[in-house]
Amino acid sequence: MPLAIKKRSRVPGVLITQYVEQLPLGKSTPDFTQKPVAMTVQEGKKACFKVMVTGEPAPIVTWGRNKGEIDDPEKYNTRYDEMTEEHILEILNVKLDQADIYKCFATNDYGKASCSATLKVIEVGFKKKSLTANATQDFRSMLKKTVVATRKKQLPPKKEGEIDPKLWELLISAPKRDYEKICLDFGVTDFRWMLKRLNQMKKEREDEQAKVVDTLKNVKHIEVKPHGRAEFSFDMTLRDPNSAIHLYKDGTMVQYSDDEDSKHSLKKTGTKYVFSINDPQPEDAGFYQVDVEEANVLTTDFQVPAVEFIAKIKDTKVVESEEAIFQCVLSTPLNRITWSNQDSSLEQNVEKYEITVSEDKLIHTLKVKDCKLADNGVYYATAGITSSSASLKDDLINLEMEQQAKLRKENDYLEAAKLAQDEKDVADAAARAARKKGADRRDGSSDKADGDEGGGIKKKNLLGVGDNRNDTDEMKKKLLQTSPKAFCMIYLCLQFKFFLLNTVAGPGVQFVSGLSDAVANIGEQVELSCKLSSEATKGCWYKNGKLLKNKNEVTIIKEGAYHKLVIDCCKKDDGAVYCFEAEGHKSEAKLNIQDPPKIDNDALGKFTKPVIVKAGENAEWKLPFSGGAPVNIQWYKDDDELSPGLNVNIAISDSEGQLRLAKCQRKDSGEVRIKVKNEFGTTEAISKLIVLDKPTPPQGCVDIMESGVTSIEFKWKPPKDSGGCPVTSYIIERQQVGRNKWCNLGEIPGENPSYKDTDVDPGRRYCYRIRAKNAVGISDYLQTENIPAGVLRYPGPPRAPKVVSTFKDCISLTWFPPCDTGGTKILGYNLEKKKKGSNYWSLVNQGGPITDTKYAVKDVFEGAAYEFRVSAVNLSGAGDPSLSCDIIIARDPMKPPGKVTDLKLTSSNYTTFTLAWTKPKEVKGVEDEAQGYYVEIRPQENLEWIRYNNMPITRTSYTVLGLKAMATYWVRIIATNYGGDGEPQDFDNYIIAMPPPVRPKFKHRNMKTFEVVRSGNTVRLNINFEASPMPEICWLKDGMPVPKHVTISNSDKSSQLLIPTSEWSDTGIYTITVKNLVGQESFSVEVRVTDDPKPPGPVEIDQNIPGTVTLSWTPSPDEKRDNRLHYMVSERDSFKSSWRAVADNIFNNKFTIVNILPGREYYFRVYAKNDVGLSPPSESPVFGTKKEKAKFNMTTPRRKPFDFQSPPSFIVPLRRRTAPQGYECHMSCAVKGDPAPRVTWYHNNISLNTNTNYHITNVCGVCSLLILRVGAKDYGEYKVVIENKLGLAECSMTLNVRESAISLATNRNFQQVMEMADVRFGCGVKDVCPGGDLKHSQQKAEVVQTSSEMLQNTDLYSQLWALREERNNR
């Protein structure tokens, strides 16, 4: 089973597991140099995690997630970017179910590294909950019962570019000190602009709360406490103690009780209300609100992130005034966690608590400053519903008190030891005195006791008592006079001391430090030592029970109380048990002798020298060694272990290792290592193998440095592998294109891989072969492409010169060489100049080409403006010049300008805004005149400024384009001149990309409020409005959300409601509400979906009163679903053939018809009628009454004959008219006569009745003539002749044609045509008289008309010529 050693990475949040106990040389476990970053992505977008790993060998990178697999290639894509060395996981189309913790693993043979990142997915749009539209309600039962709402009005969903409504609710209920951390949770970094609106919302909320609450304070948002409950609390005084308090979670009411063991509970203590959630779980996360009646008093957000503690906080011990640090590592980044102790939560405090979070949000640290005894206890770190605890233990004591206690303890111990020693001395003296007294009695000697014998010494004990009996009695009295507790302590100390002296040391000498076991290698020196309590005592050394003496290999040393045994050169038989004995006391130790592998230094020096062989030869290594058997020998080649094989021969003995590599190749070069190992240790030796071979071919492609008329110069790269020894020379061969022979041009030194061929013919092409040569052999050749000689190739243009510095008498320029040198070396450059407004370029360098890429032009005049350009010169000549540089004025350096003034925003919309400013003032010697301006913008979420215009603008206004709607931007203006950029001038506040605020209003005043649609047709309501910022649009049908089959399409200026196929149920009042921050506006349209009505049922007739008839009928089937359906009744009697409507808009099923005449038959029809039309009729049976007829006599009067005939005459005569040319003309008159007269129209006495160019009508005596297009030919007299058998009458008028400039030529042409017509027919217009030939006149008029049309379509000359030819032919 492999090892699992946990290691720490330099990158926080990375966990490394090592599989081996000791890493081989040059190998390493995997690690992350760049770990994935947590992301929040909108649904449907692309998410991307990137990591960079290290390790030897290169680790294999795999990906995973907590709640599923990532093996679906349509959803996940993993790849490796060689350019950036990044391993990438791409989630192509993010879904809501892909929100998870994603993990990355890097694995190789020696370990595994892992890290994780969280992916959050934002849902697009929101879903409305369906409401039951057809639910039947019993309103009486509703009136009898009081219904308690179990749902709270939902907050509007968050829209893109707007602040989340939840954030506003949380800020209203939070104290000001919590604003920053609440905004940080929602990704808002700058909330200052929100304060004005927030204060207004707070005031409105306080006014609402004041109706039910007197005071509300000490609001604390929800936290997970150390005892495992989530709590939030506040202090509140109610106006009415009986007011109902409701708890909502995500808009749904939550039931709670006062039992703390229940899931949700409320604990009230005085005015303090504490809501708690017992044993919180992930499903308890949500948006909690507390309402008193209908007023909201608290809003808090309980978040339960999926997080674990990778490293928990640990117990800490410190002394007073030091700092205690608690640190934990999370699996998921969090902006903050909750730190608390047993009493309360801990907040950031400069003097006491410092809470820090790492940049990746994984490492959270609590630092307790200036620790006191009161800081002792348990500390908690809570992340979501997961917590970790550690204690600041009782070792937290005052440093001074600890030192004093330590001193007291040492003094007590010394005093107890001294007392015990004194008591022992007293007892010894008493014993010696008794023995001496007995001896005196036997020997008859003096009864004086020898007080000095046996080392009897008079000493004072701890209580100042001597060693005689009286002193002992006095000591006992003093002991009895002390407190019982002190007496017991002294007594116990004395007993313990006596025990130690009698059992450990005993009487006499004792070991202060004894021998210790030792381990030594063969050939090394080892030393065993001990220390006695007396320097005068001597002792003996023993080896396995045998006495040791000083010999050559063993040295015994005594230095005061120290006794040493030294073995200079350990042997295998020196391993034994060694013992030192002094005055009956012993101390033993065991010496273990090891024999690890060893390599002689001379042999090692020979082995480490590189072994150099030629390709195909054999390489051998021999290495003698020494060491205890058994010995294991391993050979390695570049960290790969070698095994015996075809070309590998390994010989092993107890004292030597041999390796032989046969037929070595160039690729076998590298490091050779031997590893010798036994049970006592391991040793290694490293050598090197160098296999010499011919070099590889030189590297291409060949770079042509010069291709001139008389020479070709080119260069190449040295071989990639020199063969193990340096390249001494290159062999050059040449072939002329078109020939088969290769000529040897000789060898060139290997230091410079380039060649110049001067023996070339102009216009020919050559090919070259290049071989590398070293001490072993010659490489294969590198062949160049065909290189032409003698072709004139001019260099390309360099880049435009750049200005280095400008003065009134000198301008310094620099430039870059051209990319295209023309195949030859660049000999120099020509620099040209011209004045502004001139087209003449003059050469600056009259003395020859400039060899450098910089030049100082001194031939300038102060204040003059110049342009410069440069061209490169090679052997073929000067190439094309570069682009000219910007205009440069010869003057001394300028000072940067100052700040612009009066910066303001003149206009803005969703994608652009326009700025204006005033030019900065010039301060002589400090700030010079501004010559241009840069506009820079910075989105609020970015830290870098973006320069919007690359070239400075000269005007003092600018329009920024391409902005994101409703995005916020910081804007600044920088004035610039030749002296540099001035200081930026920016706005005090950021700018929002939006038009000026406009209250929503509807554009068209004549919008329909009623729309009738036939069932099955499309309903389309287009509403145009004007609003800024972008409004929120809501459609309702009869006050409820529109059904699912209704399609709503919104834009910034209009909204469309579309029902593709309408049904009867779509009838209703549709209301659109347009709302934004400024206000709202609503508009309603009644839509009625109906169809052709079905006819009513059978019609019945009833007559109760003579002269009246009552009709009744069965209702139409559509009456129930169409409340606008009504009926229409029509009648017809037997004397008339047409139907007549007698009644309409009848909303019942009965109608009475009056004025029914007897003797007639009546027919009745009843129609159903709605907004679409009429139904087929329902007919009644025939109704009639018989009338008895009386005899009728009639006297016919005599009629007198009367003659109505009359001659024709004009009632309304013709009137004189003037018509513009090209327009129509209408003339008319009114005539009478009996019989009706015949009407004839004449133009210049020519009849027009048969002329199709005129439209003639006669309607009821009104005679009209219409000329569709008046021309010059229509000028003249128009006459109307009316005639019947009784006479004739006529009336005439003159039509004048108003001529334009265009028509003058046409009139002249007409006259010529008339003359030609006269010639053709032999008479003129004047010859035509009233009594003349009418037919002849008509023919002439037709010719004139035809000729006039020809003149309009052709030129005058062609027309006249055509008429002449026609006359000649006749």
Side-chain angles (χ1 to χ4, degrees):
M1 182 176 179
L3 295 175
I5 303 175
K6 304 296 184 181
K7 295 176 59 178
R8 291 190 63 182
S9 172
R10 289 179 294 177
V11 178
V14 176
L15 180 63
I16 299 177
T17 304
Q18 182 175 318
Y19 293 159
V20 295
E21 183 175 359
Q22 184 175 2
L23 290 172
L25 185 63
K27 304 300 179 181
S28 63
T29 56
D31 196 1
F32 287 87
T33 58
Q34 173 187 323
K35 68 175 187 176
V37 180
M39 300 183 68
T40 301
V41 182
Q42 186 177 352
E43 182 183 4
K45 300 294 184 179
K46 178 181 178 181
C48 185
F49 292 109
K50 299 180 180 180
V51 298
M52 295 178 67
V53 298
T54 60
E56 183 62 35
I60 300 174
V61 176
T62 57
W63 296 84
R65 56 177 292 192
N66 278 359
K67 302 178 182 177
E69 303 294 335
I70 61 172
D71 52 358
D72 189 353
E74 296 182 357
K75 297 181 180 179
Y76 304 94
N77 180 29
T78 57
R79 60 186 178 90
Y80 175 68
D81 192 340
E82 296 182 355
M83 296 292 293
T84 59
E85 298 182 353
E86 292 178 332
H87 296 266
I88 302 174
L89 170 63
E90 295 177 343
I91 306 176
L92 304 179
N93 187 6
V94 176
K95 303 296 182 183
L96 289 175
D97 58 354
Q98 291 176 320
D100 199 355
I101 298 177
Y102 287 81
K103 297 183 179 181
C104 183
F105 305 95
T107 310
N108 66 5
D109 297 338
Y110 301 102
K112 178 179 180 181
S114 63
C115 60
S116 62
T118 303
L119 174 63
K120 296 182 179 179
V121 182
I122 300 175
E123 184 177 1
V124 178
F126 65 97
K127 300 178 181 179
K128 295 183 178 179
K129 293 189 176 181
S130 61
L131 298 174
T132 305
N134 300 324
T136 305
Q137 298 180 357
D138 186 359
F139 291 98
R140 293 185 177 180
S141 62
M142 292 178 63
L143 291 174
K144 293 178 181 179
K145 297 180 181 179
T146 302
V147 180
V148 179
T150 60
R151 291 197 61 84
K152 184 178 175 67
K153 184 179 179 182
Q154 296 288 331
L155 294 175
K158 181 182 181 302
K159 295 189 176 181
E160 186 175 0
E162 295 184 2
I163 298 299
D164 193 339
K166 290 185 178 181
L167 176 59
W168 292 112
E169 289 294 324
L170 292 174
L171 292 178
I172 291 174
S173 302
K176 292 184 178 180
R177 65 175 181 271
D178 295 335
Y179 284 359
E180 184 174 0
K181 63 182 181 182
I182 294 175
C183 291
L184 189 62
D185 290 342
F186 285 82
V188 179
T189 56
D190 186 4
F191 58 92
R192 292 173 294 177
W193 62 276
M194 302 167 55
L195 295 179
K196 183 176 180 180
R197 182 184 175 190
L198 180 60
N199 292 333
Q200 181 181 358
M201 296 174 69
K202 266 197 168 184
K203 187 176 183 304
E204 295 174 357
R205 180 63 57 81
E206 290 171 357
D207 295 341
E208 181 181 347
Q209 294 172 354
K211 299 177 182 178
V212 292
V213 176
D214 283 335
T215 60
L216 179 65
K217 58 185 178 179
N218 297 333
V219 176
K220 294 184 180 180
H221 285 262
I222 192 165
E223 289 181 350
V224 178
K225 297 298 182 180
H227 50 72
R229 301 174 67 91
E231 294 182 354
F232 56 98
S233 62
F234 51 90
D235 293 344
M236 179 177 64
T237 303
L238 298 175
R239 284 182 175 270
D240 182 5
N242 298 322
S243 298
I245 300 177
H246 304 295
L247 175 65
Y248 296 89
K249 175 194 171 188
D250 295 331
T252 303
M253 182 179 292
V254 177
Q255 299 298 329
Y256 63 89
S257 66
D258 55 356
D259 184 8
E260 294 184 357
D261 295 332
S262 62
K263 184 65 178 178
H264 301 88
S265 63
L266 169 62
K267 181 180 179 181
K268 180 183 177 184
T269 306
T271 60
K272 186 176 183 65
Y273 294 79
V274 180
F275 284 86
S276 61
I277 303 173
N278 189 16
D279 189 20
Q281 299 297 326
E283 58 267 21
D284 294 325
F287 200 70
Y288 287 83
Q289 293 174 288
V290 178
D291 288 7
V292 176
E293 298 296 341
E294 295 181 357
N296 178 261
V297 295
L298 173 65
T299 301
T300 184
D301 190 14
F302 185 31
Q303 298 180 1
V304 183
V307 63
E308 298 177 357
F309 284 90
I310 296 178
K312 297 185 177 182
I313 59 176
K314 298 181 180 180
D315 297 340
T316 303
K317 298 179 182 180
V318 295
V319 296
E320 188 178 22
S321 302
E322 288 187 354
E323 294 180 346
I325 297 177
F326 298 94
Q327 188 177 80
C328 62
V329 181
L330 306 180
S331 61
T332 303
L334 289 182
N335 290 328
R336 69 179 189 276
I337 64 174
T338 302
W339 292 95
S340 59
N341 54 19
Q342 293 175 332
D343 300 327
S344 61
S345 299
L346 304 180
E347 300 291 341
Q348 181 79 17
N349 189 332
V350 178
E351 298 179 358
K352 190 63 181 177
Y353 302 106
E354 180 180 351
I355 300 174
T356 58
V357 184
S358 62
E359 293 182 358
D360 58 356
K361 312 296 184 185
L362 291 175
I363 302 177
H364 296 254
T365 306
L366 168 66
K367 183 184 293 184
V368 183
K369 301 180 180 178
D370 191 19
C371 292
K372 304 293 184 183
L373 286 173
D375 297 323
N376 182 27
V378 181
Y379 288 79
Y380 299 87
T382 305
I385 58 176
T386 307
S387 63
S388 173
S389 63
S391 60
L392 208 56
K393 293 187 177 179
D394 293 336
D395 294 327
L396 181 64
I397 56 177
N398 188 287
L399 180 60
E400 182 179 357
M401 294 175 62
E402 183 181 18
Q403 293 175 350
Q404 292 178 357
K406 187 175 180 181
L407 290 175
R408 286 196 300 269
K409 185 176 179 181
E410 292 177 354
N411 291 334
D412 293 341
Y413 177 79
L414 292 176
E415 290 176 359
K418 192 179 295 184
L419 179 61
Q421 183 65 36
D422 291 342
E423 293 295 332
K424 180 179 180 298
D425 293 341
V426 172
D428 291 342
R432 284 195 298 271
R435 289 195 298 269
K436 182 67 174 175
K437 185 176 182 181
D440 292 340
R441 287 177 180 176
R442 290 189 300 268
D443 300 334
S445 59
S446 173
D447 58 351
K448 183 180 180 180
D450 188 4
D452 296 333
E453 184 180 354
I457 303 173
K458 278 193 175 182
K459 295 183 179 179
K460 294 285 185 177
N461 55 26
L462 182 62
L463 301 175
V465 183
D467 56 350
N468 54 24
R469 184 174 299 273
N470 294 330
D471 294 337
T472 303
D473 295 337
E474 186 179 355
M475 177 190 70
K476 291 180 179 179
K477 291 179 181 179
K478 289 186 177 182
L479 282 175
L480 293 174
Q481 292 175 0
T482 59
S483 64
K485 185 175 181 180
F487 177 82
C488 292
M489 290 296 298
I490 295 174
Y491 178 80
L492 291 175
C493 290
L494 290 173
Q495 296 295 328
F496 181 72
K497 184 63 178 178
F498 289 149
F499 173 78
L500 291 177
L501 292 175
N502 294 328
T503 59
V504 179
V509 71
Q510 58 181 336
F511 283 95
V512 177
S513 62
L515 297 177
S516 299
D517 292 342
V519 178
N521 294 332
I522 292 179
E524 295 181 353
Q525 185 186 65
V526 67
E527 179 182 298
L528 302 174
S529 65
C530 62
K531 182 181 180 182
L532 300 178
S533 59
S534 175
E535 296 182 359
T537 305
K538 296 181 180 181
C540 300
W541 288 90
Y542 296 89
K543 175 183 177 183
N544 291 334
K546 295 182 181 181
L547 182 64
L548 290 178
K549 296 182 180 181
N550 276 323
K551 296 181 179 179
N552 294 333
E553 64 275 5
V554 177
T555 304
I556 298 174
I557 303 172
K558 179 180 181 302
E559 295 177 352
Y562 287 92
H563 296 262
K564 298 179 180 180
L565 176 66
V566 179
I567 302 174
D568 294 329
C569 184
C570 290
K571 298 177 182 179
K572 190 172 183 179
D573 56 359
D574 289 333
V577 176
Y578 291 83
C579 174
F580 180 79
E581 182 178 352
E583 296 185 3
H585 296 278
K586 297 179 180 181
S587 179
E588 293 183 351
K590 185 177 182 181
L591 176 62
N592 294 319
I593 302 299
Q594 297 181 352
D595 189 8
K598 292 183 180 179
I599 301 174
D600 184 65
N601 291 333
D602 294 337
L604 181 61
K606 293 179 182 180
F607 182 83
T608 55
K609 291 181 180 180
V611 176
I612 302 175
V613 296
K614 292 184 179 181
E617 296 180 352
N618 301 333
E620 294 184 358
W621 289 267
K622 294 182 180 181
L623 182 63
F625 58 85
S626 61
V631 177
N632 182 23
I633 299 177
Q634 293 173 313
W635 289 90
Y636 294 88
K637 171 69 174 56
D638 291 334
D639 295 333
D640 294 330
E641 185 175 357
L642 297 176
S643 300
L646 181 63
N647 296 328
V648 179
N649 185 12
I650 298 176
I652 300 175
S653 66
D654 293 339
S655 60
E656 186 180 57
Q658 294 184 6
L659 172 65
R660 183 173 181 270
L661 300 179
K663 298 179 181 180
C664 295
Q665 301 297 326
R666 175 64 183 159
K667 63 181 180 179
D668 295 331
S669 299
E671 182 183 89
V672 177
R673 177 163 54 93
I674 182 174
K675 186 175 183 180
V676 184
K677 181 179 180 181
N678 65 3
E679 61 177 339
F680 303 115
T682 303
T683 185
E684 292 183 355
I686 299 175
S687 182
K688 191 174 183 181
L689 172 62
I690 301 175
V691 180
L692 303 180
D693 199 354
K694 64 180 182 180
T696 58
Q699 300 182 74
C701 298
V702 172
D703 186 10
I704 301 173
M705 301 172 62
E706 179 182 344
S707 178
V709 179
T710 59
S711 64
I712 295 175
E713 185 177 2
F714 53 90
K715 64 179 181 179
W716 59 91
K717 295 180 180 179
K720 188 175 182 180
D721 184 7
S722 63
C725 52
V727 175
T728 58
S729 62
Y730 293 97
I731 301 174
I732 311 297
E733 295 178 326
R734 185 185 72 181
Q735 179 194 50
Q736 183 177 327
V737 176
R739 298 184 181 181
N740 296 327
K741 184 179 179 181
W742 287 89
C743 300
N744 190 351
L745 301 181
E747 297 185 12
I748 62 173
E751 293 81 7
N752 185 18
S754 64
Y755 182 73
K756 185 174 183 179
D757 187 5
T758 58
D759 184 17
V760 296
D761 295 332
R764 297 192 181 275
R765 304 169 72 86
Y766 297 92
C767 183
Y768 295 87
R769 285 179 179 173
I770 309 163
R771 304 174 190 265
K773 181 180 180 181
N774 63 3
V776 178
I778 301 173
S779 71
D780 296 334
Y781 60 81
L782 167 68
Q783 184 169 334
T784 67
E785 297 179 352
N786 297 335
I787 303 175
V791 180
L792 292 178
R793 288 185 59 195
Y794 298 99
R799 297 184 186 178
K802 292 185 178 180
V803 181
V804 177
S805 62
T806 59
F807 296 92
K808 62 182 180 181
D809 55 355
C810 179
I811 298 176
S812 297
L813 303 169
T814 184
W815 57 88
F816 290 98
C819 298
D820 181 14
T821 62
T824 59
K825 292 183 178 179
I826 299 297
L827 302 179
Y829 301 91
N830 290 334
L831 183 63
E832 297 176 291
K833 71 174 182 178
K834 76 167 185 177
K835 289 187 177 181
K836 181 181 179 182
S838 173
N839 294 327
Y840 174 71
W841 290 92
S842 61
L843 186 65
V844 174
N845 51 307
Q846 299 291 342
I850 303 170
T851 58
D852 201 355
T853 56
K854 57 185 177 180
Y855 192 77
V857 182
K858 298 183 179 180
D859 185 16
V860 293
F861 295 96
E862 182 179 1
Y866 294 93
E867 294 181 43
F868 295 91
R869 69 183 185 184
V870 64
S871 58
V873 181
N874 64 0
L875 294 175
S876 299
D880 295 334
S882 67
L883 298 175
S884 60
C885 66
D886 296 334
I887 297 176
I888 307 170
I889 300 175
R891 59 185 176 187
D892 290 336
M894 300 179 66
K895 299 287 185 180
K899 289 185 178 181
V900 301
T901 57
D902 299 335
L903 178 60
K904 57 186 176 180
L905 178 70
T906 58
S907 65
S908 65
N909 55 32
Y910 289 116
T911 58
T912 65
F913 53 72
T914 303
L915 309 171
W917 60 87
T918 304
K919 186 176 182 180
K921 295 182 179 180
E922 182 179 358
V923 180
K924 189 173 183 180
V926 179
E927 297 174 349
D928 287 341
E929 180 184 5
Q931 296 176 332
Y933 306 93
Y934 290 109
V935 178
E936 292 185 348
I937 65 173
R938 178 174 68 85
Q940 187 180 14
E941 63 273 10
N942 293 349
L943 298 177
E944 297 182 358
W945 289 91
I946 302 173
R947 181 160 289 186
Y948 207 79
N949 52 320
N950 295 327
M951 301 298 295
I953 58 174
T954 56
R955 62 183 184 276
T956 57
S957 64
Y958 191 77
T959 300
V960 180
L961 307 176
L963 302 176
K964 185 178 179 181
M966 297 304 295
T968 53
Y969 298 90
W970 293 97
V971 183
R972 67 182 185 184
I973 307 297
I974 301 176
T976 185
N977 59 16
Y978 290 109
D981 296 341
E983 294 184 6
Q985 176 64 50
D986 51 4
F987 287 95
D988 295 335
N989 295 319
Y990 51 76
I991 299 175
I992 303 177
M994 56 173 283
V998 176
R999 178 185 176 86
K1001 60 181 179 180
F1002 298 100
K1003 290 186 177 180
H1004 299 299
R1005 296 181 179 177
N1006 299 327
M1007 291 189 296
K1008 294 182 179 180
T1009 59
F1010 182 77
E1011 185 98 10
V1012 178
V1013 180
R1014 187 183 297 274
S1015 177
N1017 290 355
T1018 300
V1019 177
R1020 182 180 284 105
L1021 302 179
N1022 291 315
I1023 306 296
N1024 298 324
F1025 57 84
E1026 181 181 357
S1028 176
M1030 189 83 72
E1032 176 185 350
I1033 301 172
C1034 178
W1035 283 88
L1036 299 176
K1037 178 193 173 192
D1038 298 330
M1040 306 295 287
V1042 295
K1044 293 183 179 180
H1045 68 277
V1046 178
T1047 303
I1048 306 295
S1049 301
N1050 298 326
S1051 66
D1052 57 343
K1053 295 183 180 179
S1054 65
S1055 180
Q1056 182 188 75
L1057 182 143
L1058 178 66
I1059 305 176
T1061 304
S1062 59
E1063 299 177 355
W1064 286 75
S1065 59
D1066 294 323
T1067 299
I1069 298 177
Y1070 291 82
T1071 303
I1072 179 176
T1073 302
V1074 183
K1075 180 181 179 181
N1076 64 3
L1077 299 177
V1078 184
Q1080 70 178 25
E1081 194 72 24
S1082 298
F1083 181 75
S1084 298
V1085 179
E1086 182 179 357
V1087 176
R1088 180 165 297 278
V1089 180
T1090 183
D1091 208 341
D1092 291 330
K1094 295 180 181 179
V1099 181
E1100 298 179 357
I1101 300 177
D1102 186 17
Q1103 183 180 21
N1104 297 325
I1105 301 173
T1108 63
V1109 173
T1110 300
L1111 304 180
S1112 60
W1113 57 88
T1114 305
S1116 170
D1118 294 337
E1119 184 176 329
K1120 293 182 179 180
R1121 58 179 180 177
D1122 191 349
N1123 57 3
R1124 291 176 59 90
L1125 185 138
H1126 56 277
Y1127 300 96
M1128 184 181 75
V1129 178
S1130 62
E1131 71 169 2
R1132 181 179 70 84
D1133 58 22
S1134 56
F1135 286 79
K1136 296 180 181 178
S1137 60
S1138 60
W1139 291 86
R1140 179 176 64 92
V1142 296
D1144 199 354
N1145 294 327
I1146 302 172
F1147 287 90
N1148 55 15
N1149 303 324
K1150 184 181 293 187
F1151 184 74
T1152 301
I1153 301 175
V1154 299
N1155 298 328
I1156 299 299
L1157 300 178
R1160 297 186 181 183
E1161 292 183 351
Y1162 287 89
Y1163 304 89
F1164 300 99
R1165 289 179 177 176
V1166 179
Y1167 298 87
K1169 187 177 181 182
N1170 62 7
D1171 295 318
V1172 174
L1174 295 174
S1175 69
S1178 292
E1179 296 189 3
S1180 68
V1182 179
F1183 175 79
T1185 59
K1186 293 182 179 180
K1187 179 181 179 182
E1188 295 181 359
K1189 294 183 179 180
K1191 189 174 181 180
F1192 178 74
N1193 296 323
M1194 183 180 67
T1195 303
T1196 305
R1198 295 181 60 186
R1199 299 179 62 184
K1200 294 181 179 181
F1202 186 79
D1203 187 7
F1204 291 96
Q1205 293 186 353
S1206 64
S1209 61
F1210 288 90
I1211 302 175
V1212 178
L1214 294 174
R1215 296 181 181 179
R1216 182 182 181 89
R1217 292 183 179 277
T1218 301
Q1221 187 174 357
Y1223 292 83
E1224 67 178 20
C1225 178
H1226 184 274
M1227 56 188 75
S1228 63
C1229 63
V1231 301
K1232 69 178 182 176
D1234 189 16
R1238 179 176 177 272
V1239 180
T1240 306
W1241 286 83
Y1242 294 93
H1243 175 218
N1244 293 333
N1245 295 325
I1246 300 174
S1247 176
L1248 302 179
N1249 283 13
T1250 60
N1251 194 333
T1252 58
N1253 293 323
Y1254 299 91
H1255 182 62
I1256 299 174
T1257 59
N1258 184 1
V1259 179
C1260 299
V1262 178
C1263 304
S1264 301
L1265 173 68
L1266 176 63
I1267 305 174
L1268 297 177
R1269 185 180 182 188
V1270 176
K1273 67 181 186 302
D1274 297 319
Y1275 169 79
E1277 181 186 22
Y1278 287 82
K1279 182 170 62 174
V1280 178
V1281 178
I1282 55 177
E1283 181 181 6
N1284 64 5
K1285 65 180 181 178
L1286 298 180
L1288 181 146
E1290 62 180 25
C1291 179
S1292 64
M1293 54 85 70
T1294 302
L1295 175 63
N1296 294 324
V1297 179
R1298 187 168 63 242
E1299 299 180 353
S1300 61
I1302 300 175
S1303 63
L1304 293 177
T1306 306
N1307 288 334
R1308 289 195 295 271
N1309 296 342
F1310 179 76
Q1311 293 176 3
Q1312 294 176 6
V1313 171
M1314 292 296 294
E1315 292 175 0
M1316 292 180 182
D1318 293 341
V1319 173
R1320 179 178 178 183
F1321 292 97
C1323 65
V1325 176
K1326 61 184 180 179
D1327 297 333
V1328 180
C1329 58
D1333 189 355
L1334 181 61
K1335 182 178 181 180
H1336 185 76
S1337 299
Q1338 290 177 350
Q1339 292 178 354
K1340 182 178 178 182
E1342 293 175 358
V1343 172
V1344 171
Q1345 181 179 357
T1346 304
S1347 301
S1348 177
E1349 292 176 356
M1350 292 173 58
L1351 288 174
Q1352 291 180 1
N1353 298 328
T1354 59
D1355 59 278
L1356 178 63
Y1357 182 77
S1358 300
Q1359 294 167 2
L1360 295 177
W1361 183 263
L1363 290 174
R1364 180 185 176 189
E1365 289 295 326
E1366 183 179 359
R1367 186 185 64 181
N1368 292 338
N1369 292 334
R1370 290 179 179 243

